[in-house]
Amino acid sequence: MSIAALREFVIAFGHLLDTRPQEAEILDQGGALLRRLVARDDWLPDAFAKAHPERYQQFLLHADSTERFSVVSFVWGPGQATPVHDHTVWGLIGMLRGAEYSQAYRKRDAVLQPHGRPVRLAPGDVEAVSPTVGDVHRVYNAFDDRDSISIHVYGANIGAVRRHTYPADGARKPFASGYSNTQLPNLWDRSAELRRTT
Ligand code: FE
């Protein structure tokens, strides 16, 4: 297992954002980077892959030093689900382990309603959300007998973004997701590679 895959991903994502791309380019080229990251499942430390018996977990893996982006592992216990929610910034979702469904919502006649069929994400799949491509959805574990994990990238420090949930019975509610962890994985210990090359 090597955290290097995650380090290389955040370095490449930073370089992509250095070019000041349009959102469509971020979703396209950043999506390709994320697809490569979730093509293998040998790099996520166990501490950031643990389900909680009652609620889904969102572990911050990395926040860009100027908060241009953040990387989060979402861990779904059996049957766990998010409320209907928005993001207000672009987001990329890459499936690492298990499977999840994402049900989009759109306003029709001033009422928020499910839009199309739920999309099923299998390991290696990548999906995008944003205010321009569709920002409101509900996500849930496709399994009721095992955990699922997806890796998310957002165009902000997502845990501290003011956003909303959309209860079925009324007005949207302010929401700031926060994170489930207080400690981050160490991406930056390169001493092993150094020793290998000296
Ligand atoms: Fe979401």
Side-chain angles (χ1 to χ4, degrees):
M1 185 174 99
S2 172
I3 198 77
L6 180 58
R7 179 174 65 243
E8 281 154 20
F9 173 79
V10 303
I11 291 170
F13 219 101
H15 285 316
L16 169 60
L17 296 183
D18 287 344
T19 67
R20 299 189 166 273
Q22 300 289 307
E23 181 188 283
E25 298 172 276
I26 297 172
L27 298 185
D28 182 47
Q29 295 171 40
L33 293 173
L34 182 58
R35 204 168 287 113
R36 196 183 312 156
L37 179 68
V38 298
R40 46 189 274 196
D41 182 9
D42 60 355
W43 54 267
L44 182 66
D46 290 343
F48 308 99
K50 267 202 184 67
H52 183 282
E54 277 142 43
R55 63 195 83 94
Y56 66 91
Q57 299 287 279
Q58 35 202 334
F59 297 112
L60 178 66
L61 301 179
H62 177 75
D64 175 60
S65 61
T66 53
E67 297 178 285
R68 297 176 301 171
F69 71 101
S70 53
V71 185
V72 183
S73 67
F74 271 65
V75 183
W76 314 96
Q80 290 176 349
T82 67
V84 180
H85 65 274
D86 63 17
H87 310 83
T88 76
V89 295
W90 60 260
L92 287 161
I93 298 143
M95 201 73 214
L96 185 71
R97 202 176 298 173
E100 71 187 35
Y101 284 105
S102 171
Q103 172 64 62
Y105 282 74
R106 293 261 169 97
K107 264 206 171 127
R108 206 183 313 137
D109 305 326
V111 180
L112 201 62
Q113 296 180 25
H115 178 80
R117 310 252 317 149
V119 175
R120 189 180 202 273
L121 298 183
D125 290 346
V126 170
E127 205 207 5
V129 290
S130 87
T132 45
V133 302
D135 196 36
V136 180
H137 69 170
R138 177 175 177 269
V139 182
Y140 51 100
N141 194 343
F143 296 105
D144 53 20
D145 61 353
R146 65 179 127 136
D147 301 344
S148 293
I149 302 176
S150 49
I151 305 301
H152 300 207
V153 190
Y154 299 98
N157 176 5
I158 193 67
V161 170
R162 284 176 208 279
R163 42 201 185 118
H164 310 92
T165 59
Y166 296 81
D169 57 346
R172 68 182 194 177
K173 290 203 326 215
F175 165 63
S177 64
Y179 298 112
S180 307
N181 53 326
T182 55
Q183 304 207 342
L184 300 187
N186 184 352
L187 306 186
W188 301 107
D189 183 356
R190 295 171 178 274
S191 61
E193 29 180 299
L194 209 68
R195 276 185 214 109
R196 265 202 307 278
T197 56
T198 49

